[in-house]
Amino acid sequence: PSEEMVTLTWSFVVSIYSIGGLLGSLSAGYLSVRFGRKKAMLLSNIPALLSATLMGFSRLCGSFEMIIAGRLVSGASGGLALNIHLMYAGECAPRKLRGLIPMTASTAVAVGKFAGFALGLREVLGADVLWPILMATHAVPALVQLLTLPFFPDSPRYLLIDKKDKEACIKAVKELWGDGDHMAEIDDMMAEQEAIHGEKAKSVCDLFCDKAVRWQLITLFLVASCMQLIGINVV
């Protein structure tokens, strides 16, 4: 193919990850309620392993289309996992740490990017022979999560508000926070359950039309836009 076609193909390989991320993010809300936070996070590892397989064997099969498909599926896994992880981490954290715990996701993303840059050096896995292994390395954290997450309880908020199982909620709270008096947090969740009783889940369109959260939405949009435009993605 011509040089222009090669450039177009690799540009498509790079950018299609974001399309997958958008699709995964849009499905995160439904899956987190339908299956629960923990099960949805476990399900997100399936596309991660599938994408690692596609990209890892792409050179052996002589197919750049497998890289494109793998990047799309990997993006969907990332968009799904990151959104549900933030929900799960925030809902599992005790009240005094609820603001801090979800922020650890940003630190993990930064560490992951650094690890990716380091592994991508030609002296490591960026060599001509080893790059398929580099493209499949995200199977490692997916496998770690598949092996460890089943031993964790589900989100107490999900168990109480979505599943309406107070006993399971109390059991999860004791597993996560230890023995003690946690009724204040449970009472807060029960009050929230009463407040949203009978309300249907809001869609993305409902969120944009809801004037009650207009300024919060604008603030988050501006912060997220600035993060995308500071140049780190170009680097």
Side-chain angles (χ1 to χ4, degrees), residues 19-30:
I19 306 297
L22 175 63
L23 297 175
S25 298
L26 290 175
S27 62
Y30 170 76

Side-chain angles (χ1 to χ4, degrees), residues 93-117:
R95 184 191 297 175
K96 61 183 179 180
L97 297 175
R98 197 159 292 156
L100 174 65
I101 296 299
M103 290 304 296
T104 58
S106 300
T107 306
V109 169
V111 171
K113 286 186 175 183
F114 175 77
F117 289 141

Side-chain angles (χ1 to χ4, degrees), residues 174-194:
K174 289 183 177 179
E175 279 190 64
L176 290 164
W177 306 341
D179 293 328
D181 185 12
H182 306 298
M183 286 309 298
E185 285 88 348
I186 295 173
D187 289 341
D188 284 346
M189 288 187 276
M190 293 184 70
E192 183 182 353
Q193 182 187 30
E194 289 295 326

Side-chain angles (χ1 to χ4, degrees), residues 114-176:
F114 175 77
F117 289 141
L119 291 174
L121 295 172
R122 293 189 182 278
E123 293 79 7
V124 189
L125 293 178
D128 187 49
V129 180
L130 299 176
W131 66 260
I133 299 175
L134 174 65
M135 301 286 278
T137 50
H138 62 282
V140 176
L143 286 171
V144 170
Q145 190 179 75
L146 272 176
L147 294 173
T148 57
L149 191 58
F151 297 100
F152 286 76
D154 214 327
S155 157
R157 183 186 179 280
Y158 164 76
L159 292 171
L160 182 64
I161 294 179
D162 295 313
K163 296 287 287 185
K164 298 178 175 56
D165 190 341
K166 185 177 179 180
E167 290 185 6
C169 172
I170 294 173
K171 182 181 177 181
V173 164
K174 289 183 177 179
E175 279 190 64
L176 290 164

Side-chain angles (χ1 to χ4, degrees), residues 27-66:
S27 62
Y30 170 76
L31 292 175
S32 64
V33 175
R34 176 71 175 80
F35 298 104
R37 303 346 179 204
K38 188 174 83 168
K39 288 183 180 177
M41 286 176 66
L42 288 170
L43 286 173
S44 70
N45 293 305
I46 297 174
L49 294 173
L50 175 61
S51 65
T53 303
L54 285 169
M55 292 190 286
F57 288 100
S58 59
R59 177 168 182 160
L60 186 64
C61 298
S63 171
F64 70 88
E65 294 89 351
M66 290 175 65

